[in-house]
Amino acid sequence: MVQGNTDHRMKGKMKIQFKAILTTALSLYLLASCNNKTGNGLKTQPLKNKKLSNNFVTRKVANSMPYKELPLGPSVLKNYRFPKDGWDKNTYFDIPDSEKTKNDKNGEEYTKKFNEIDFNYLNLRKSYSTPDIGKVNYINILDDSLLLNRKIYLKEGFKFRLPDFGPYQCYYQCYSGPKLKSVTTKKIPIHYDTFSNIVFIDPKTRTANILNIYSSYYLTEDIDYEWRFFYIDKDKTIEIFTAGSDEERTGINKVLLINVQRNGKFSLKNIK
């Protein structure tokens, strides 16, 4: 009788243990399923998020480089029309308001609007690691043939990622300050203090197409300044402006429209 009672109690304990194991296993399965669903949700978040995940770029870039939607650039370039022939520089500041002519007042307004063209909010941002680049092409526009040593500046200066243009992954890159050496031929007395690029990267070939969209440079006499400005609209049209200022006059004009086609070709249209 004792032996029978012992066997019966052992069978009861085994059933309880089996139920406990089954319950634990089921709980772990449900927990794992929930975690997997959460993980998939994170991977399918839209591109408007500030953090991007992309297998092509380096891990540091993928985890930290911010993302910016379009449009990009100072809105005054899009919304204000400057005179094509420029305007006299600063003469109106020495004239009392009561004695200013219409031209003086216009020049004062043009100068104020011109001073609104500010790219520091883009160019002074934190830099991130360089995306994986295998080969480099330069999209030469206007006077880009003067820029000879740009390739050495591809190792840093990446500020943020932009929406894809055609088949390309796109990044904004900038260099400025005293570390920037002259990137022009010795025959040309020009020195850059800032320039910015859009880097169009083909994820299949790792080829980077470099388009210079911003530059600020001066002559050795430090009197005449020249700029290349840009504005990128929501439709991904890149508008290029050139501007200049010397002792007497200042001027700015839209000179070029650039689009990227679906097949990856770059379309350039000169503005007269």
Side-chain angles (χ1 to χ4, degrees), residues 62-80:
N63 291 339
S64 61
M65 186 179 291
Y67 176 86
K68 285 190 70 67
E69 288 282 4
L70 299 176
L72 185 69
S75 60
V76 65
L77 291 173
K78 186 71 175 179
N79 301 326
Y80 189 79

Side-chain angles (χ1 to χ4, degrees), residues 10 22 49 109 119 135 156 178 183 187 196 228 237 250:
M10 289 182 65
L22 182 62
N49 291 312
E109 178 185 343
F119 288 88
K135 200 167 60 171
E156 57 181 286
V183 291
K187 296 180 181 179
S196 302
R228 176 179 298 178
T237 296
T250 301

Side-chain angles (χ1 to χ4, degrees), residues 92 95-108:
Y92 39 81
I95 302 174
D97 290 342
S98 59
E99 298 179 12
K100 286 181 180 178
T101 66
K102 183 178 180 180
N103 286 336
D104 294 330
K105 293 178 181 178
N106 287 340
E108 187 173 10

Side-chain angles (χ1 to χ4, degrees), residues 234-245:
K234 286 184 177 181
D235 66 358
K236 301 182 181 179
T237 296
I238 304 168
E239 302 180 6
I240 300 295
F241 301 76
T242 57
S245 181

Side-chain angles (χ1 to χ4, degrees), residues 174-185:
C174 178
Y175 287 93
S176 62
K179 68 177 183 179
L180 179 62
K181 298 179 181 179
S182 175
V183 291
T184 62
T185 62

